[in-house]
Amino acid sequence: LAEGDIEFVERIAEGVLRGDVRSIARAISIVENEPRLAPLLISKIFPYTGRAHIVGVTGPPGSGKSSLIAKLAKIWRKDEKKIGIIAVDPTSPFTGGALLGDRIRMQELTGDKDVYIRSMASRGSLDGLSRATRDAIKILDAAGKDIIIVETVGAGQAEVGIVKVAHTVLVVLCPGLGDEIQFLKAGIMEIGDIFVVNKADIGDADRVVLEIENILEMASEFLPQKPAWAPLVIKTSVITNEGIEKLVRSIEEHYAYIRGTSEGEFVRDKIIEELVDIIGENVREYARHLITKDSMCNEILERVLKKDIDPYTAARKILAEMLKRREF
Ligand SMILES: Nc1nc2c(ncn2[C@@H]2O[C@H](COP(=O)(O)OP(=O)(O)OP(=O)(O)O)[C@@H](O)[C@H]2O)c(=O)[nH]1
Ligand SMILES: [Mg+2]
């Protein structure tokens, strides 16, 4: 890196540590768009991370995730907590080309310098939560946010990826999902610490609560032992405020539980996952580079195309070549 780049990144890192809003925005743009500068930035702020409570909020489109987050943020602001909000692949974004509804919902928050709201893309990641999103969480953490809320829309893999970064995962559902309840069984029911049945003011929320409880009970029968935290199911409405206060306190209770029982293990597990992801990303990039650009590895590719060797054998040869060169 040029000296100018280093100075530039150091200045931004200092701004982040002061909690300066413009520096936070620039830092997140760096981790999104400048892979060359991102590692230096993260190295500067990393020692100051690990303080924030990270709350993942996921669930099917339109279940009320953003509306609930706005409510939660308002309550936590009364407790003088500093808040960061990241919306990953928002269908109705918080910022930028926000839909009118979201704008109105978020208006009270956007004027508050202790609430930072940002939407991000999950592009280019296997589990739907990109490296950039993880780094953005670190930036907000180092900037002194007490609670960082990450909204992912439950359509692809992002809702499962959230588990890799969040202390507490909320799965937000609502009545009238119909077939959507089927989709719950695929993965998402395993990740919730708290299930929220939102829009209790319309439709039959009690039936959805029962359905979730049934699924959870069936799933728990297959567990070797009872988990220490049994997932909660809470009915809410952002219209009548039913259950909102209870939800806030349950989220806090869950964090206290994590900190009291398994925080060391929790942090260790997250870091293992992150290291494996970063290594995997580097190795994949280097493999692609060699296979397409290097004449020897390209020859191996040609042999697979001719059915001369199979992909497993070829991959072993290429991996051996990568290790020999040690360029990644
Ligand atoms: N009646 C009622 N409507 C609600 C409630 N919560 C949210 N809504 C409405 O449901 C619609 C979707 O709300 P959002 O908060 O944008 O939902 P979301 O889950 O963030 O949606 P995506 O980000 O697009 O997946 C909006 O029109 C909200 O006003 C609720 O508790 N009751
Ligand atoms: Mg939303």
Side-chain angles (χ1 to χ4, degrees), residues 60-67 91-92 102 105 151 153 198-199 201-202 237-239:
S63 59
K65 299 178 291 298
S66 302
S67 312
T91 51
S92 45
D102 261 357
R105 264 197 301 288
E151 175 180 345
V153 60
N198 188 41
K199 307 196 186 182
D201 55 294
I202 56 165
S237 163
V238 302
I239 308 288

Side-chain angles (χ1 to χ4, degrees), residues 86-219:
I86 298 173
V88 180
D89 280 340
T91 51
S92 45
F94 279 117
T95 54
L99 296 178
L100 190 61
D102 261 357
R103 269 224 190 104
I104 291 168
R105 264 197 301 288
M106 287 292 144
Q107 220 160 37
E108 280 171 62
L109 294 173
T110 48
D112 181 342
K113 71 169 175 43
D114 287 322
V115 179
Y116 184 87
I117 305 174
R118 174 87 168 219
S119 47
M120 299 183 77
S122 67
R123 61 172 180 247
S125 66
L126 286 180
D127 62 12
L129 262 201
S130 63
R131 184 184 38 71
T133 305
R134 286 188 188 186
D135 287 346
I137 292 170
K138 290 192 190 75
I139 289 164
L140 292 172
D141 189 346
K145 299 302 178 206
D146 299 296
I147 303 173
I148 300 166
I149 308 171
V150 184
E151 175 180 345
T152 57
V153 60
Q157 290 291 303
E159 76 274 14
V160 184
I162 192 70
V163 147
K164 288 191 180 182
V165 298
H167 296 97
T168 305
V169 175
L170 309 189
V171 174
V172 180
L173 307 162
C174 62
L177 285 174
D179 282 350
E180 293 274 9
I181 223 96
Q182 284 306 118
F183 128 104
L184 301 180
K185 288 164 193 164
I188 201 167
M189 294 306 283
E190 282 146 49
I191 67 170
D193 298 304
I194 300 173
F195 290 85
V196 183
V197 180
N198 188 41
K199 307 196 186 182
D201 55 294
I202 56 165
D204 190 356
D206 288 322
R207 213 207 57 203
V208 183
V209 170
L210 271 180
E211 242 172 296
I212 295 168
E213 282 172 348
N214 279 336
I215 295 172
L216 290 175
E217 199 177 292
M218 274 194 294

Side-chain angles (χ1 to χ4, degrees), residues 35-48:
R36 215 170 44 85
L37 302 180
L40 176 64
L41 176 70
I42 296 304
S43 77
K44 295 285 169 198
I45 63 155
F46 186 68
Y48 306 94

Side-chain angles (χ1 to χ4, degrees), residues 226-297:
K226 253 187 126 169
W229 175 271
L232 300 173
V233 187
I234 298 175
K235 267 193 304 185
T236 60
S237 163
V238 302
I239 308 288
T240 67
N241 283 328
E242 175 184 352
I244 302 287
E245 192 70 30
K246 184 175 175 199
L247 176 59
V248 168
R249 300 312 155 205
S250 301
I251 295 168
E252 292 170 346
E253 208 176 290
H254 182 263
Y255 188 45
Y257 156 78
I258 292 275
R259 288 171 64 101
T261 59
S262 59
E263 191 167 36
E265 201 182 316
F266 176 89
V267 171
R268 193 188 169 83
D269 286 351
K270 306 277 149 174
I271 290 185
I272 291 173
E273 283 298 320
E274 179 163 16
L275 291 180
V276 169
D277 279 356
I278 295 172
I279 293 167
E281 204 173 299
N282 287 337
V283 169
R284 264 196 305 279
E285 255 168 50
Y286 186 46
R288 188 180 305 279
H289 169 81
L290 280 185
I291 295 165
T292 54
K293 301 273 169 17
D294 177 83
S295 62
M296 192 186 148
C297 292

